[in-house]
Amino acid sequence: MSAAVKDSYKIVIIGGGPAGLAAAVSAKQAGEDDILILERDHELGGILNQCIHNGFGLHTFKEELTGPEYAGRYIKQVLDLGIEYKLNTMVMDISADRVVTAMNREDGMFQIKAGAVILCMGCRERPRGALNIPGYRPAGIFSAGTAQRLVNMEGYMPGREVVILGSGDIGLIMARRMTLEGAKVKVVAELMPYSGGLKRNIVQCLDDYGIPLKLSHTVIDIEGKEHVSAVTIAEVGPDRRPIPGTEIRYTCDTLLLSCGLIPENELSRSAGVDMNGVTGGPNVNESLETSVPGIFACGNVLHVHDLVDYVSEEAVRAGQNAVRFIKGELDEENDAKIQLKATDGARYTVPATIDAKRMEDLLTVRFRVGDVFKDSYVSVYFDDERVQHRKKQIMAPGEMEQIILQKKDILAHPELKTITVKIEKE
């Protein structure tokens, strides 16, 4: 929409991907009309536009959709509801008092005073510089997401003989995609002793196409000065160092890197939001509100999700709570708020704190584990009392876990200080 931007909006949403779209629709349905979405790309939908494989929407729409189809459902709702949005618009800064500074070609640099801000910037791929691979910097090395965009949206094939480092979901999906486009994917090497992706993607994208997955392996050498000509991988020990004598050399013209995702939080930091060292995203409370009042976060900017359906579900709550904040229905947080703690195999929890008076009747707490656990229990402790103990056949770092907390249970423990989530063997 190209209408002139006003200098204030009740709700400003940063990002027009799946989180931003769902948050906008939810806020509108909760009764707020004065909403603006700011999106830096030239179209709404975010990363879903390049995810042309299916598997999206099973929870949200009860049917299997491709990424563009899933995004299209939400884009249609945004258009039908008349929600205002600005494309090709880069947000430069968010202040602690919710003044958003942005710029685009039509309006130049402008500022908007927001009643509430919802952060929906998504995540980015971990760069190669963080990987410490020796060798030159030849052509033919791509992040998996860049390769996905080239193949699916721009019609370019990065190469014909491919090695993939990292078994994140994008890397697994690109192993299948490159194979379907006629390339030979020689191997997927993963530094950790377990895959970083969903089990269904390992089966559907590697096993079904006979592509080997080598766990506890990493790239130790890249050959080629102008262009990649070969890659050597080696097994690593428990200290993650290569084991001499285990080297395998593959000739290839392409190396794809799928080494994890990082929430995109430069703007959150500039607003003074308290960050979580494990997730790389903000610490939020039961309302998905950050440490800065009136600034909310949801989706992959908060913590990296495995399913977009969960992103949308979280964004619905963020949109509703932003409206509650504007209406003054979210009381000041309690000083005696309850801390959530993840230990013994659980790496983090979202949210990080709970104010029992402000929470809804049921609260979903999401977390990830730090290793593969078989026949183990997810346990929840209220201070020292164990209140949940649920057996899981398998838990892996690539799949998000969750527990449900009930408001009535928490209110029944008026002195409660800490809720602990841990993994136990019995």
Side-chain angles (χ1 to χ4, degrees), residues 15 27 59 64 68 94 125 161 167 186 202 206 221-222 246 251 257 302 332 343 345 365 410 419:
H59 295 263
E64 203 169 25
I94 304 167
E125 291 181 281
E161 291 190 297
S167 61
K186 305 232 169 147
I202 297 168
L206 300 188
D221 189 35
I222 299 170
T246 63
T251 57
L257 305 175
L302 180 54
E332 276 297 303
T343 63
V365 177
I410 294 174
I419 297 174

Side-chain angles (χ1 to χ4, degrees), residues 270-286:
S270 74
V273 165
D274 181 41
M275 304 300 288
N276 184 304
V278 178
T279 62
N283 281 317
V284 294
N285 63 19
E286 74 297 321

